[in-house]
Amino acid sequence: MDLPGLYLISDSNQTRGRPLLKALELALEGGASLIQLREKELPTRELFELACRLRQLTGRFGAKLLINDRIDIAIAVDADGVHLPAASFGSMDSRKLIGRDKIVGLSAHSSQDAIIAEREGADFVTFSPIYYTPSKADYGEPQGLESLEEVCSKVNIPVYGLGGIRLENVRDVMGRGASGVAMISAILGAKDIKAETLKLLKSLNEV
């Protein structure tokens, strides 16, 4: 499956007080083309309404939209797929629900997680945390670039490095075999979201 090198994950707490949809729109203007809606604290109705609005926004830019964990909402808004936490549905079960033509991504925190995800039909995995980041602190100490390289060598599906990745270390992450980078605060917390997205995509294209 042809997936872009930059995977933007939403977090309304990382936008410097800016409305989430406006922050995501700026990233889309900068060239982001794969977005995961990951607002786990929202009640179902609010999450659904936000997903509807973001589906319209991503559609306007020709970008892909994935919904974190909530397969029901992904189906309801006709999202392009889902991203499943490690403890959520397996790839095979989620595929039965969402359809064969949709994207299924999984979170992996070990080589074994990634191997199982691939075996069950996932289209890609994120591997984290690479570097320290508060949003991934619950998953333990940073796993580092060597662990990322090991995971990439064990599977044939795309692996996105996630956790503490910024413009200055994108080349290091990609140099270990990653197919792309997944980001939250590096983009949504940037002073100029559009400009930062453009810089990141330029760096990815140069690798």
Side-chain angles (χ1 to χ4, degrees):
M1 178 172 289
D2 186 21
L3 293 170
L6 179 61
Y7 183 21
L8 175 58
I9 301 171
S10 82
D11 185 342
S12 57
N13 296 314
Q14 302 282 349
T15 64
R16 294 190 175 204
R18 294 165 292 199
L20 179 62
L21 284 176
K22 181 58 181 177
L24 294 174
E25 183 176 14
L26 290 169
L28 288 163
E29 289 176 357
S33 58
L34 178 63
I35 292 178
Q36 177 197 150
L37 179 61
R38 184 180 181 271
E39 301 299 315
K40 297 191 293 183
E41 297 176 0
L42 285 183
T44 296
R45 181 181 292 275
E46 290 181 35
L47 181 62
F48 171 69
E49 291 172 353
L50 178 60
C52 287
R53 295 174 67 189
L54 185 54
R55 172 72 289 185
Q56 292 179 337
L57 182 60
T58 53
R60 206 171 85 217
F61 285 87
K64 290 178 168 44
L65 171 64
L66 307 187
I67 306 296
N68 181 71
D69 204 20
R70 295 295 300 267
I71 297 175
D72 54 341
I73 290 180
I75 293 170
V77 303
D78 194 27
D80 296 286
V82 291
H83 185 106
L84 304 172
S88 187
F89 289 90
S91 302
M92 288 188 290
D93 291 330
S94 62
R95 185 80 68 188
K96 292 174 186 175
L97 294 169
I98 199 169
R100 294 186 175 277
D101 61 330
K102 299 294 186 178
I103 300 168
V104 175
L106 264 80
S107 296
H109 305 292
S110 68
S111 295
Q112 189 62 23
D113 286 346
I115 290 168
I116 292 171
E118 180 178 35
R119 187 166 63 219
E120 293 190 350
D123 294 302
F124 72 91
V125 296
T126 55
F127 178 68
S128 67
I130 307 301
Y131 303 101
Y132 173 77
T133 178
S135 67
K136 292 293 178 183
D138 291 344
Y139 295 104
E141 293 297 315
Q143 304 211 50
L145 294 173
E146 289 185 4
S147 294
L148 172 64
E149 186 172 15
E150 179 187 354
V151 170
C152 293
S153 72
K154 299 279 188 182
V155 296
N156 294 310
I157 57 175
V159 177
Y160 286 88
L162 170 63
I165 298 174
R166 301 189 174 279
L167 181 61
E168 56 267 26
N169 56 37
V170 163
R171 289 178 179 272
D172 295 333
V173 171
M174 296 298 289
R176 296 302 182 112
S179 298
V181 293
M183 295 182 164
I184 304 175
S185 60
I187 292 177
L188 297 181
K191 185 175 181 180
D192 188 330
I193 293 175
K194 180 178 178 180
E196 191 67 16
T197 305
L198 285 165
K199 290 177 187 175
L200 287 162
L201 287 170
K202 184 175 184 291
S203 181
L204 283 166
N205 289 333
E206 289 174 349
V207 174

